[in-house]
Amino acid sequence: MAEETTNSLLNFDIEFDDDEFKSDLPTVDNPTLESILNESEDYESPAEDDTSSVISAVQPFKDSGDTTSLSSSDSNRTDRSSRSRQKKKIDIQKTIHGSVLKPNRLKNIAAQLLSAADRVDAGMPTSMAISSLIAIGTSHGLVLVFDPKQVLKWCLGSTAVGQQYGSVSALSFNKDCTRLLSGFAKGQITMWDLTNGKLLRTITDAHPPGSAVLHVKFTDSPVLAVCSDSGGSVFELEMKRLIGVRTCESKCLFSGSRGEVCVVEPLHMNLTIKDHPMQDVMVVAMATLSKVLVVTLRPQLKVVFTHPLKGNPTCLPLLAWHFVVIQVSERDRVIDPVLVFARESTIYFFQVICNNAQDIKCSGLQKITVPYKMLSVAWMNPRVLVTMDTNEKLHVIDVRSEEELEVLDVSSVQLVYNNSHFKSLATGGNVSQALAMAGEEACYQTVVSQNGQLFLLGTKGVYVYTLRNWRERIDVLVKQNKYNEALALALSFYDGRAKAVIGLTASSKNKKEVVSSLMLDLLFEYVDLSMTTLCPEKGKMEELEAYYQNIVPVCVDYCLHLSRTDILFGRIYDRFAVDYIARGTFLECLEPYILCDKLRSIPPSVMKDLVEHYQAKNMLEGVESCIVHLEITSLDIHQVVNLCWSHGLYDAIIYVYNKGMHDYTTPLEELLGILQQAVRTEIQLTDEQIRLGNKLLVYISCCLAGRAYPLGDIPEDMEADVKKNVFQCITRMKIKAEDPTYPYLRTLLQFDTREFLNVLALAFEEKEFNTEEGIRNRQRVVDILLQVMVESGEFTPTQIGVLFTFLARQMASHENTILVNRVLFEQVLEFLANPEDDSRHEERQQALMELLQAGGLQQVNEEKLLSMAENAKFFRVCELLYEKRRQFDKILSCYLRDPSRKYHAFSYITSILNSERFSVEEQEKLKEEAFNQLEELVSIDCKQAAQMVISTMPKNLGVIANKMKSNPKVLFEFLKGVMSCRDSGGSAIHTDKQVNIDPWIIELYVDLMCQFRPQEVYNYIKLNEGYRLEQTLEICRRHKNSEATAYLLEKAGDIQGAFGIILTNLQNKLKALTNELLSPESEKDVTVQFLEVQALILVVIQLCQRNSGKMDEAGRESLWFPLLETVMSPQRKLKDLNNKQIQEDFKKATHHVLNSMMGYIALPTILHKIMQDPAYSTGKFGEVRELILGMLETYNYEQTLMETCKNLMNHDIHVHLKNLTTAAKKGYVPAGDNCSLCTKQFVNQNETDTVIIFRCGHSYHKGCLQSIGSVHVIDGEDSWVCFLCSHRKRGQYQSTRFHRSHSNRGQPKGKDITVDPQHSQALDFVKSFLKTPSRMSLLSELSSSSAPKSHRGSSSIFNQENFQLKLAPPPAMESAP
């Protein structure tokens, strides 16, 4: 609960920094704010556009005390954004606001309210006013006035007055707190003298009777006030005293008939602001449910501003005034009143600009949208706004940034609401429904802001909320042991990022000193607690390390931010050093700050501990990374050098020598010596040695370019000497007498020739090598390179090629300054292109390629070079030379001869033929070469070769096929690719991409497939078209491909021929299987053979099923019975076999054949055939029991099925005929007595006139229908259609039902009803309604009862495998209308 205090809380003076105003406020006349704010006179409010961005509107609001300029504020934001992007362990820039509002309960006032309620029956509190005094009205008409020390000063009124006037609904002090106005629920207003507690006036006629006083407000004038009532009207009250008589004159400012005013708020001038142009102007803001108005009362009544205000009907408008310091320019600021008005979830800020009493206007500054509905809005100071939502939560908002600083729940206050006054219950509730709905949660009189304090009137007391000063906000977090948040909040005060800062009014430097001192104290306390109270007493080492890893970065971050490394490495480090784990964690946490250059200097003692700790934990790479980022003065040179040499920390060695001793050659010599020893061993270098060599190359490159290693630049006064010394070091001729010449240069070349020559190439671009002496040094290096690499014979062809490539490039870029004997290039060429040397072929070719591209062989004859490349099989070199000659066909031969690149030949051909950069002649030559090399291309990839031919030479397909007949295997692969391209390229949609192939080529492909892939022929001819049947059949017969032959015979219509071939194959396989089973010596597993037999049986069955429907009974028996005989014959031979499993498998196969043929062969015929077979004719009945029972079950099922279908159809026909008969007998009633077309009545008609009446009720003259064509001839009879219905519902057929002729009215001449056309139409309707194919098919079959019955013809629906009975009741026919 909020803190309770008895101290005086009412400090009502606005705090301004006078020194700041003296220096910053302009001394000239008030500026024209239109020009300053770049706003025109007819400024359009940003509030009218809900989507408009008002970011810039924040900028005019500047703090009235300790603020920086706008530009510095922007820079702070930029700095913060850049800092927030830096990678840190602890984000010390996170936004922490802490507890901003300090709650207090006025205990003495609460006690007095309770006492007054008990003793004098004062009732519950209803309203409140705050100034230098506190006034509280009650429900029984009393007003209690308290001084700032919560002492009851006056008890005004009595319960008798309360009974007459009702509860106190509004209160207001005048400017000097000598007068108090109180409004009542029944409409009366009283004025009290607070110097003596006497009643001065009772005003009963200020507004129309019967309405409650909602607001009564003094202006700055002691004799002028405004009030509003529950009727929505606003009145001006002017107090007068004539001849000792006190009177009050009332004038209506705003009539409630134009919209009820809900709130009135006059502007009160700030006494500390002198000579403001608005001192002589009285301004009042008022708000209805739809708009806000600002009017001036004095010197004249005038509306100066209106603004629409939208919101939920249950939300009241809110108003609040405050004087705010507004930044006009970088140096100038002004103080102007700012009106805040809000409704529901939107807050608007408008500045009132007053040049003089006649020139006042309002300028929109800002709009804030909040995610809740507001009950109240109040200023705490020029920078902070407080809102209350419908859940009774206070929201503290920083105006400039629109950031919510704190949310505080005040539901425990039990806030008093004024809804009874808005409903005017005391006067009978005569208010508008809109005002009553909006005022349900009205709290204008119970939430009051005064001089930075917010007062809430609860049912049992008064609560005040003030902004905590900056120290209090930090202390609150410290008391909660939230040191991280407390430090972050303190840092925001230090950086000037904090919001709602109170009590920190000094210069920027002094503020930082004060906050810095507090932050250090917090750090010390935090570290002490972390090492004692907060530290886990027990735990694993990993847990303790994780604990300290959360503590140490906090200390490091804040010490670095405060630039107090002396504290970090002094008192704080000493405190952590007491514990071994804490000390190690502290040292390890320094590494990220060192690597990002935030920490550049460490005391030598701490650095020594850091090195020892990392050395003990074998984390020396981390030490090396840290050393190169630290200032050399913080290092113990002796310790670091010894450590680095003993553990190979090469970067640290170079850094220490360079920075500490300004020695750039000693580390180079020492490290080159280590690398030299490693290279001389002629074994594979380790990763560590390779890393050393790479570091040396980078170091040499940096030194020769004038850059420091690993970062930075060499001092200018040392740059020339460093370059000279390093160059002399690497080109030194002798180190020791036994060493070869130029040992360092030789070592670097042997380590990585290409990269070292790249280092030299970069160095040669420096200005030192372009002087006269530099040119001589460059030539000297070239001579040394030639001497070391060419003459020694220690280097590989690749390395020599790299050298001469380097030389060729240097000669091209430094023309006439580098001299190399051209004979050497020819010698290198002969060496690289030696055809007798097969070693390192690819290396030599690559070296020659680079040398050629660098221009090092320009003096060599091109023909000679091409010949040497051909002999050496340097096909890429040949390609380069042929490309210069534009002999692209020759390049194709290079691709085909190069084993590693022959697969790229197709992409090369495609790129040449599809490009417009090549002439037609060049493309034709390439085509011819590809045609000549087609067999080679096919052997590489038949599909790509075929794709190439189809896309580039489709008309030559036949020629190519004839040419390749001499090599059938290659031709087969080529045609296979052609067929694959045809299948993947074309489709029914993209017919333009289809490939048309002559039939003879397809037949040739089938012929070749029969030779090389006979097992694929059947599937191919089955899935493809385009071949000629007779020729293909001849090919398959010639190659004895039985499956394909049978398929083609079946396709040709020779069913018996196809059946015979497959049956012969089946008989052969069965014979082989039988012999294998009967062989006494055979132990072979016949499972695979039997599976092949089963597969072949399925093929034959499918053949018979496909064709049985096209044949008569004799033809069907000629297919099925031979098949049955073939399957049953092995069983006769095997009936004495002991292998029961085989016999069961054969019987299953027989059952499958029988089940398949039952749909095509009569059951008695099948049974007769079975019983004649010896395998089933002998023995017991049990052997054939299953077979016979299965046949009988099938017969019973089909008989039942037939009977059920007949019954269903009979029932359906009966139901439909009954419905049709009922409809036909139904009478026809015309809808009117006139024709629906000509509208003439059916009276006085001739006997010959015919009237046609339809079921729908429309009736027509027969002649009218004939004239518009509403008649159709069906089966020789006229069928009439209702014109209106047929046009209204297209597709529905309306036929005539009744014709009548009139001789006179009321005596129609009857005409016989013809039923047959209706029956015909009804039958059509039945057919269209019953769309289930089973019933209609059954009807068709059953209707032809006189037709001769056949055994299960193919046309019968009972033969369909998916036939199912739909035994649902028939749908009811709709009764005819």
Side-chain angles (χ1 to χ4, degrees):
M1 186 56 198
E3 298 180 12
E4 298 185 356
T5 179
T6 58
N7 297 332
S8 174
L9 299 172
L10 304 178
N11 180 14
F12 298 116
D13 292 334
I14 298 179
E15 297 181 2
F16 288 111
D17 192 337
D18 294 335
D19 294 335
E20 183 182 23
F21 288 160
K22 290 177 182 178
S23 59
D24 290 341
L25 285 179
T27 57
V28 297
D29 294 337
N30 288 312
T32 304
L33 292 183
E34 306 96 291
S35 59
I36 294 172
L37 299 176
N38 294 322
E39 301 292 350
S40 60
E41 191 167 353
D42 54 348
Y43 172 75
E44 187 171 303
S45 168
E48 295 178 4
D49 183 6
D50 292 340
T51 62
S52 62
S53 175
V54 289
I55 296 175
S56 61
V58 181
Q59 298 174 356
F61 285 98
K62 299 303 294 180
D63 298 350
S64 60
D66 46 300
T67 58
T68 58
S69 68
L70 182 60
S71 58
S72 64
S73 175
D74 291 339
S75 65
N76 285 339
R77 284 196 292 271
T78 305
D79 293 341
R80 290 199 300 275
S81 64
S82 63
R83 285 195 295 268
S84 65
R85 287 192 295 266
Q86 297 174 359
K87 187 177 181 181
K88 298 183 178 181
K89 267 192 170 181
I90 302 296
D91 182 14
I92 65 173
Q93 299 291 343
K94 61 183 178 182
T95 303
I96 298 292
H97 301 297
S99 177
V100 180
L101 284 181
K102 179 181 180 180
N104 288 282
R105 181 171 180 263
L106 304 184
K107 294 195 301 181
N108 292 347
I109 293 179
Q112 293 282 0
L113 289 175
L114 182 62
S115 176
D118 291 339
R119 294 183 178 182
V120 299
D121 193 21
M124 300 295 292
T126 56
S127 60
M128 176 175 59
I130 307 294
S131 184
S132 59
L133 301 174
I134 299 178
I136 299 175
T138 68
S139 58
H140 290 175
L142 273 67
V143 178
L144 306 179
V145 182
F146 300 88
D147 66 9
K149 294 183 179 181
Q150 306 182 46
V151 176
L152 181 62
K153 188 174 181 181
W154 302 109
C155 180
L156 307 177
S158 64
T159 55
V161 174
Q163 290 179 356
Q164 182 181 358
Y165 294 168
S167 62
V168 179
S169 59
L171 293 170
S172 176
F173 290 105
N174 66 351
K175 194 171 185 179
D176 57 1
C177 282
T178 59
R179 298 289 186 271
L180 175 68
L181 281 174
S182 58
F184 292 88
K186 293 185 179 180
Q188 293 82 358
I189 299 174
T190 60
M191 176 183 285
W192 300 86
D193 186 347
L194 296 181
T195 61
N196 53 25
K198 292 184 178 180
L199 178 65
L200 299 180
R201 290 180 177 86
T202 299
I203 307 170
T204 58
D205 57 352
H207 61 95
S211 57
V213 176
L214 298 184
H215 298 275
V216 59
K217 301 278 186 178
F218 266 112
T219 64
D220 282 343
S221 171
V223 298
L224 194 64
V226 291
C227 75
S228 68
D229 61 9
S230 58
S233 300
V234 180
F235 299 88
E236 175 189 300
L237 304 179
E238 185 175 4
M239 316 300 172
K240 292 185 179 181
R241 185 174 182 180
L242 297 174
I243 316 175
V245 179
R246 301 178 187 272
T247 61
C248 177
E249 292 186 1
S250 174
K251 180 171 67 174
C252 182
L253 301 178
F254 189 93
S255 174
S257 61
R258 299 167 58 187
E260 296 96 335
V261 171
C262 302
V263 58
V264 175
E265 195 66 48
L267 171 64
H268 296 285
M269 289 299 299
N270 195 310
L271 298 177
T272 62
I273 305 175
K274 306 298 182 182
D275 301 327
H276 197 281
M278 294 192 70
Q279 282 187 339
D280 298 328
V281 181
M282 294 184 185
V283 178
V284 175
M286 59 186 75
T288 69
L289 293 175
S290 60
K291 68 174 64 176
V292 172
L293 301 93
V294 177
V295 300
T296 59
L297 302 181
R298 299 290 185 273
Q300 61 179 352
L301 182 62
K302 179 182 179 183
V303 178
V304 296
F305 172 72
T306 62
H307 192 283
L309 191 61
K310 299 178 181 179
N312 192 293
T314 61
C315 296
L316 285 170
L318 307 171
L319 297 174
W321 287 99
H322 206 287
F323 279 85
V324 177
V325 179
I326 300 177
Q327 191 81 32
V328 176
S329 64
E330 291 187 2
R331 297 186 57 189
D332 299 332
R333 291 183 288 185
V334 297
I335 301 178
D336 272 339
V338 172
L339 173 65
V340 164
F341 56 90
R343 191 177 180 199
E344 193 177 354
S345 302
T346 307
I347 308 173
Y348 302 89
F349 296 79
F350 275 79
Q351 173 190 3
V352 178
I353 304 170
C354 178
N355 295 322
N356 52 62
Q358 285 72 36
D359 185 9
I360 300 176
K361 59 174 175 285
C362 296
S363 175
L365 296 177
Q366 189 174 357
K367 182 176 78 171
I368 300 177
T369 301
V370 294
Y372 48 83
K373 293 182 180 180
M374 292 177 287
L375 293 181
S376 176
V377 60
W379 289 92
M380 297 298 287
N381 62 33
R383 296 154 292 175
V384 179
L385 201 69
V386 174
T387 62
M388 179 188 289
D389 63 20
T390 53
N391 295 322
E392 296 189 357
K393 291 182 179 181
L394 294 179
H395 301 260
V396 185
I397 300 173
D398 179 72
V399 176
R400 181 195 301 153
S401 63
E402 302 182 10
E403 185 178 358
E404 188 173 80
L405 308 182
E406 186 183 13
V407 179
L408 192 64
D409 189 353
V410 295
S411 58
S412 59
V413 171
Q414 298 180 3
L415 187 68
V416 175
Y417 292 97
N418 307 124
N419 51 1
S420 63
H421 303 149
F422 273 79
K423 296 178 181 179
S424 195
L425 298 180
T427 60
N430 53 340
V431 298
S432 69
Q433 186 177 358
L435 188 64
M437 180 186 297
E440 191 65 39
E441 294 180 307
C443 55
Y444 291 125
Q445 308 299 328
T446 57
V447 180
V448 181
S449 173
Q450 182 71 25
N451 291 346
Q453 296 173 307
L454 183 68
F455 294 83
L456 302 183
L457 179 61
T459 57
K460 296 182 180 180
V462 178
Y463 297 80
V464 59
Y465 295 84
T466 58
L467 293 175
R468 298 181 188 269
N469 66 38
W470 69 280
R471 284 183 179 271
E472 289 177 344
R473 289 166 65 179
I474 295 174
D475 290 341
V476 170
L477 294 173
V478 171
K479 289 178 182 178
Q480 298 172 355
N481 281 334
K482 297 181 179 180
Y483 282 90
N484 286 340
E485 289 82 352
L487 286 167
L489 179 59
L491 183 63
S492 66
F493 292 132
Y494 181 85
D495 290 337
R497 295 180 291 107
K499 308 293 190 303
V501 182
I502 302 295
L504 198 59
T505 56
S507 64
S508 178
K509 181 179 179 181
N510 293 338
K511 283 192 294 185
K512 287 194 173 185
E513 289 178 357
V514 172
V515 177
S516 174
S517 176
L518 177 62
M519 290 180 67
L520 291 177
D521 292 338
L522 284 176
L523 273 178
F524 295 149
E525 186 178 349
Y526 178 55
V527 172
D528 290 338
L529 287 174
S530 300
M531 296 296 294
T532 55
T533 307
L534 301 178
C535 182
E537 296 181 1
K538 297 180 181 180
K540 298 180 181 179
M541 182 176 291
E542 293 80 5
E543 295 176 355
L544 291 174
E545 287 180 352
Y547 167 74
Y548 286 120
Q549 283 173 357
N550 293 326
I551 306 298
V552 174
V554 176
C555 303
V556 178
D557 277 319
Y558 288 108
C559 286
L560 290 178
H561 203 87
L562 298 176
S563 301
R564 295 301 301 270
T565 54
D566 57 326
I567 299 294
L568 177 65
F569 296 115
R571 179 173 172 178
I572 294 178
Y573 177 65
D574 293 341
R575 191 70 181 86
F576 281 112
V578 174
D579 184 86
Y580 173 77
I581 298 176
R583 173 177 168 273
T585 306
F586 181 92
L587 296 172
E588 291 177 15
C589 288
L590 296 178
E591 182 179 349
Y593 299 96
I594 296 173
L595 296 182
C596 64
D597 292 329
K598 289 185 176 181
L599 193 58
R600 294 282 296 163
S601 178
I602 295 179
S605 59
V606 180
M607 186 63 196
K608 181 180 179 181
D609 294 344
L610 176 69
V611 172
E612 291 175 352
H613 175 74
Y614 272 66
Q615 186 176 3
K617 298 194 71 171
N618 196 23
M619 299 165 57
L620 294 172
E621 290 184 0
V623 174
E624 183 179 28
S625 301
C626 292
I627 288 174
V628 298
H629 286 270
L630 290 172
E631 293 180 0
I632 200 69
T633 55
S634 64
L635 302 177
D636 184 338
I637 301 295
H638 179 73
Q639 179 199 24
V640 171
V641 169
N642 290 337
L643 175 72
C644 295
W645 280 120
S646 59
H647 294 90
L649 307 181
Y650 305 123
D651 283 349
I653 291 171
I654 294 173
Y655 179 79
V656 171
Y657 272 94
N658 291 171
K659 297 294 184 180
M661 308 175 191
H662 300 295
D663 186 351
Y664 289 82
T665 56
T666 300
L668 178 60
E669 293 172 351
E670 296 290 342
L671 297 177
L672 279 173
I674 297 174
L675 183 62
Q676 183 180 15
Q677 294 176 2
V679 171
R680 284 182 179 178
T681 59
E682 296 184 356
I683 60 176
Q684 181 69 33
L685 297 179
T686 64
D687 293 341
E688 184 67 24
Q689 292 166 344
I690 293 173
R691 188 159 54 249
L692 170 60
N694 291 332
K695 289 178 183 295
L696 285 174
L697 290 175
V698 176
Y699 176 65
I700 294 170
S701 177
C702 288
C703 291
L704 295 179
R707 297 189 301 274
Y709 178 85
L711 45 89
D713 292 311
I714 299 174
E716 293 184 5
D717 57 337
M718 300 177 60
E719 183 177 344
D721 292 337
V722 170
K723 290 183 178 181
K724 178 180 178 182
N725 295 335
V726 170
F727 178 74
Q728 289 177 352
C729 177
I730 62 176
T731 58
R732 190 174 302 170
M733 185 172 182
K734 284 280 188 179
I735 306 299
K736 299 178 182 179
E738 64 273 12
D739 287 341
T741 56
Y742 306 105
Y744 292 155
L745 197 67
R746 191 183 300 269
T747 298
L748 292 170
L749 287 170
Q750 289 174 340
F751 171 72
D752 194 330
T753 305
R754 188 185 304 276
E755 291 304 324
F756 178 63
L757 292 177
N758 287 340
V759 170
L760 291 180
L762 291 174
F764 285 171
E765 300 298 325
E766 295 293 320
K767 60 183 179 180
E768 286 80 5
F769 283 97
N770 290 309
T771 62
E772 184 176 349
E773 182 181 358
I775 292 173
R776 288 198 299 269
N777 289 333
R778 188 165 58 203
Q779 182 63 46
R780 178 170 172 261
V781 172
V782 170
D783 294 338
I784 293 173
L785 292 174
L786 291 172
Q787 177 184 347
V788 170
M789 296 189 67
V790 178
E791 298 177 5
S792 64
E794 300 176 2
F795 294 88
T796 64
T798 299
Q799 292 173 314
I800 294 175
V802 169
L803 170 64
F804 277 89
T805 301
F806 164 76
L807 293 177
R809 289 173 179 164
Q810 291 301 314
M811 292 169 66
S813 60
H814 303 283
E815 191 174 355
N816 299 325
T817 59
I818 295 181
L819 302 177
V820 179
N821 191 348
R822 292 291 181 177
V823 177
L824 287 175
F825 282 94
E826 296 185 6
Q827 291 176 355
V828 170
L829 173 62
E830 294 177 357
F831 168 73
L832 295 175
N834 183 7
E836 298 178 0
D837 185 6
D838 294 333
S839 63
R840 299 182 177 179
H841 180 273
E842 189 59 32
E843 290 185 18
R844 291 186 289 114
Q845 180 174 212
Q846 183 63 31
L848 185 56
M849 283 280 294
E850 293 181 1
L851 185 59
L852 183 62
Q853 291 172 345
L857 301 176
Q858 292 181 354
Q859 75 282 3
V860 181
N861 182 271
E862 195 172 284
E863 290 292 340
K864 177 183 177 182
L865 181 60
L866 183 59
S867 175
M868 295 177 70
E870 291 275 4
N871 294 333
K873 297 182 180 179
F874 289 171
F875 298 113
R876 285 192 291 156
V877 176
C878 296
E879 178 185 348
L880 188 62
L881 297 173
Y882 283 133
E883 189 173 1
K884 290 181 179 179
R885 299 181 175 188
R886 300 188 69 83
Q887 293 179 337
F888 302 106
D889 53 331
K890 300 287 187 182
I891 295 177
L892 177 59
S893 64
C894 293
Y895 272 99
L896 296 176
R897 285 184 291 166
D898 190 348
S900 63
R901 298 195 306 148
K902 62 182 181 180
Y903 295 97
H904 301 292
F906 301 102
S907 59
Y908 172 74
I909 295 172
T910 304
S911 64
I912 298 296
L913 296 180
N914 293 339
S915 176
E916 298 179 356
R917 297 186 295 109
F918 307 98
S919 64
V920 176
E921 183 180 356
E922 292 170 346
Q923 291 177 343
E924 289 299 326
K925 286 185 178 181
L926 180 63
K927 285 183 182 180
E928 184 178 354
E929 180 65 23
F931 185 79
N932 295 332
Q933 301 286 347
L934 187 58
E935 292 188 10
E936 179 68 21
L937 292 171
V938 171
S939 64
I940 296 172
D941 191 325
C942 63
K943 186 173 181 179
Q944 290 198 57
Q947 181 67 42
M948 179 196 69
V949 171
I950 290 174
S951 59
T952 60
M953 303 175 281
K955 296 182 179 179
N956 297 336
L957 191 59
V959 178
I960 294 171
N962 288 325
K963 179 184 176 183
M964 298 177 66
K965 280 185 177 180
S966 58
N967 192 342
K969 180 65 176 176
V970 176
L971 177 58
F972 172 68
E973 294 294 335
F974 171 70
L975 292 178
K976 181 180 178 181
V978 171
M979 301 304 168
S980 177
C981 294
R982 182 194 66 172
D983 296 339
S984 60
S987 65
I989 299 176
H990 302 285
T991 55
D992 55 325
K993 296 183 180 179
Q994 290 183 347
V995 180
N996 297 320
I997 302 176
D998 294 337
W1000 71 271
I1001 295 179
I1002 300 177
E1003 293 157 11
L1004 176 61
Y1005 177 59
V1006 173
D1007 193 352
L1008 295 171
M1009 189 184 295
C1010 289
Q1011 300 177 38
F1012 301 108
R1013 301 281 180 86
Q1015 69 277 9
E1016 298 178 3
V1017 176
Y1018 171 71
N1019 288 331
Y1020 178 78
I1021 62 175
K1022 184 178 179 181
L1023 299 175
N1024 292 274
E1025 299 289 342
Y1027 52 84
R1028 294 170 294 185
L1029 192 60
E1030 294 182 0
Q1031 286 78 356
T1032 309
L1033 180 59
E1034 179 61 30
I1035 292 170
C1036 294
R1037 279 176 171 169
R1038 186 171 68 250
H1039 292 283
K1040 299 180 180 180
N1041 194 313
S1042 58
E1043 284 187 81
T1045 304
Y1047 173 77
L1048 293 172
L1049 286 173
E1050 182 184 1
K1051 194 173 183 180
D1054 188 357
I1055 309 302
Q1056 291 292 347
F1059 177 75
I1061 291 175
I1062 300 177
L1063 190 64
T1064 302
N1065 287 343
L1066 177 61
Q1067 291 170 349
N1068 293 335
K1069 288 187 179 294
L1070 285 172
K1071 182 178 180 181
L1073 177 61
T1074 304
N1075 294 336
E1076 188 69 32
L1077 291 171
L1078 294 176
S1079 175
E1081 300 178 356
S1082 175
E1083 297 180 357
K1084 183 178 178 182
D1085 188 5
V1086 296
T1087 303
V1088 176
Q1089 284 181 277
F1090 192 80
L1091 290 176
E1092 293 177 355
V1093 169
Q1094 284 183 323
L1096 203 53
I1097 290 174
L1098 290 177
V1099 172
V1100 182
I1101 289 174
Q1102 291 172 0
L1103 173 66
C1104 295
Q1105 287 177 334
R1106 285 196 302 268
N1107 297 281
S1108 292
K1110 308 173 186 176
M1111 306 173 70
D1112 57 10
E1113 186 173 357
R1116 292 195 294 270
E1117 291 180 358
S1118 66
L1119 293 180
W1120 287 103
F1121 283 135
L1123 173 60
L1124 182 62
E1125 174 66 23
T1126 301
V1127 176
M1128 295 175 64
S1129 61
Q1131 300 181 51
R1132 303 188 192 107
K1133 301 177 182 179
L1134 300 175
K1135 65 179 181 176
D1136 297 328
L1137 190 67
N1138 292 328
N1139 193 337
K1140 300 299 181 181
Q1141 182 63 41
I1142 290 293
Q1143 292 183 0
E1144 287 297 324
D1145 291 340
F1146 269 108
K1147 286 186 178 182
K1148 287 180 181 179
T1150 305
H1151 291 173
H1152 182 60
V1153 173
L1154 289 171
N1155 289 333
S1156 301
M1157 64 189 294
M1158 282 180 188
Y1160 307 97
I1161 306 297
L1163 290 178
T1165 306
I1166 298 174
L1167 186 60
H1168 181 71
K1169 182 69 175 177
I1170 293 296
M1171 300 309 298
Q1172 289 180 346
D1173 191 273
Y1176 294 95
S1177 60
T1178 61
K1180 299 179 180 179
F1181 175 74
E1183 297 180 0
V1184 295
R1185 180 173 177 271
E1186 293 183 4
L1187 179 63
I1188 295 175
L1189 289 178
M1191 297 173 64
L1192 291 175
E1193 286 178 1
T1194 304
Y1195 176 79
N1196 289 333
Y1197 170 74
E1198 294 187 356
Q1199 185 180 22
T1200 304
L1201 183 65
M1202 179 65 74
E1203 293 295 332
T1204 303
C1205 292
K1206 289 173 61 179
N1207 292 336
L1208 286 174
M1209 293 307 303
N1210 290 335
H1211 178 270
D1212 286 355
I1213 292 174
H1214 173 74
V1215 170
H1216 286 296
L1217 288 176
K1218 181 180 178 181
N1219 290 336
L1220 290 173
T1221 304
T1222 302
K1225 293 179 179 179
K1226 186 177 181 180
Y1228 285 57
V1229 179
D1233 294 335
N1234 55 344
C1235 176
S1236 297
L1237 289 177
C1238 66
T1239 68
K1240 293 181 179 179
Q1241 290 188 347
F1242 303 132
V1243 292
N1244 300 323
Q1245 301 289 328
N1246 297 326
E1247 293 184 2
T1248 56
D1249 292 340
T1250 302
V1251 176
I1252 300 177
I1253 303 174
F1254 291 92
R1255 182 179 300 167
C1256 58
H1258 297 138
S1259 52
Y1260 307 88
H1261 291 114
K1262 181 177 180 181
C1264 294
L1265 280 182
Q1266 285 178 335
S1267 64
I1268 59 173
S1270 289
V1271 60
H1272 305 283
V1273 179
I1274 299 177
D1275 295 333
E1277 295 185 4
D1278 291 342
S1279 179
W1280 301 90
V1281 179
C1282 177
F1283 175 78
L1284 296 178
C1285 294
S1286 63
H1287 280 69
R1288 187 181 304 125
K1289 298 181 180 179
R1290 295 288 183 179
Q1292 292 189 3
Y1293 185 72
Q1294 297 287 341
S1295 178
T1296 180
R1297 282 289 182 268
F1298 183 70
H1299 294 221
R1300 71 175 182 175
S1301 297
H1302 289 270
S1303 58
N1304 52 39
R1305 184 177 180 183
Q1307 296 179 359
K1309 183 178 179 180
K1311 184 178 180 181
D1312 293 337
I1313 300 175
T1314 304
V1315 180
D1316 290 340
Q1318 284 79 359
H1319 287 176
S1320 177
Q1321 180 183 353
L1323 185 59
D1324 293 338
F1325 178 77
V1326 170
K1327 289 182 179 180
S1328 62
F1329 184 82
L1330 298 175
K1331 293 187 177 180
T1332 53
S1334 59
R1335 291 190 175 186
M1336 297 312 301
S1337 300
L1338 287 170
L1339 180 61
S1340 300
E1341 286 191 11
L1342 293 174
S1343 62
S1344 57
S1345 58
S1346 60
K1349 297 184 179 180
S1350 62
H1351 295 288
R1352 288 178 175 44
S1354 61
S1355 61
S1356 174
I1357 62 171
F1358 299 113
N1359 294 335
Q1360 298 179 6
E1361 294 182 1
N1362 59 351
F1363 172 70
Q1364 295 179 356
L1365 280 178
K1366 297 185 178 180
L1367 301 179
M1373 282 284 292
E1374 294 182 3
S1375 300

